[in-house]
Amino acid sequence: MKNRLKVLRAERDWSQQALADRLEVSRQSVNAIETGKYDPSLPLAFKIAEVFGLPIEEIFMPR
Amino acid sequence: MKNRLKVLRAERDWSQQALADRLEVSRQSVNAIETGKYDPSLPLAFKIAEVFGLPIEEIFMPR
DNA sequence: ACTCGATGTAAATGTCCCTTTACATAAGGT
DNA sequence: ACCTTATGTAAAGGGACATTTACATCGAGT
């Protein structure tokens, strides 16, 4: 799964910590997802989509 | 996460096994997801959406 | 030079996803 | 009655997700 987290975060000028706070997860989780260490759970993916106001498909994409 | 798997499957007259084959997962995984035992991983959610030709948001919903 | 925020990364830990194997029930067709 | 398909469920195991604590580097600002 590739994702556009870094760009979306940059567009809003949010730090990893600021995003982590909004998502109610750890900063390390945000960093791990952003750097492709692993994919978020489906509920977390929904929350990420909600926070950015975008459909999941516009944030995450296969390969 | 609630989901409409059972209905979507019924609309296409697919057994859990038939869906599992298309998704390349076990029948038990399909059953567990369908009965709410747990949520699919994000990659599997994408594959489910692809198989049904629907966006993830129209198959899965919070709560 | 020093501090501070932001980021990357690591180890240890606990939980969740998905598997295989297996057993049980219900419904339908022969 | 028997067989087959569909479904629900359970246990055990491996790998993936997410946590906390911790240390490191880098750039901006004072």
Side-chain angles (χ1 to χ4, degrees), chain A residues 12-36:
Chain A
R12 288 156 183 78
D13 196 25
W14 291 348
S15 67
Q16 291 184 345
Q17 182 63 65
L19 175 56
D21 290 345
R22 286 172 186 265
L23 297 173
E24 295 177 293
V25 298
S26 67
R27 178 182 68 80
Q28 283 78 354
S29 289
V30 169
N31 184 73
I33 292 165
E34 200 168 299
T35 58

Side-chain angles (χ1 to χ4, degrees), chain A:
Chain A
M1 282 281 144
K2 258 181 60 67
N3 72 72
R4 308 203 321 116
L5 244 58
K6 192 165 192 168
V7 176
L8 294 172
R9 204 163 53 70
E11 286 175 355
R12 288 156 183 78
D13 196 25
W14 291 348
S15 67
Q16 291 184 345
Q17 182 63 65
L19 175 56
D21 290 345
R22 286 172 186 265
L23 297 173
E24 295 177 293
V25 298
S26 67
R27 178 182 68 80
Q28 283 78 354
S29 289
V30 169
N31 184 73
I33 292 165
E34 200 168 299
T35 58
K37 277 197 64 180
Y38 52 73
D39 300 318
S41 66
L42 186 58
L44 183 50
F46 263 86
K47 203 157 188 179
I48 292 171
E50 182 193 354
V51 160
F52 286 117
L54 292 170
I56 291 179
E57 283 86 350
E58 287 187 25
I59 303 177
F60 298 93
M61 44 274 226
R63 201 54 306 253

Side-chain angles (χ1 to χ4, degrees), chain B residues 21-59:
Chain B
D21 289 345
R22 285 173 187 265
L23 297 173
E24 295 178 292
V25 299
S26 68
R27 179 183 68 83
Q28 284 78 355
S29 290
V30 169
N31 184 73
I33 292 165
E34 200 168 298
T35 59
K37 277 197 65 180
Y38 52 68
D39 300 318
S41 67
L42 187 57
L44 182 49
F46 264 87
K47 202 158 188 179
I48 291 170
E50 182 191 355
V51 160
F52 286 117
L54 292 170
I56 291 179
E57 283 85 351
E58 287 186 26
I59 303 177

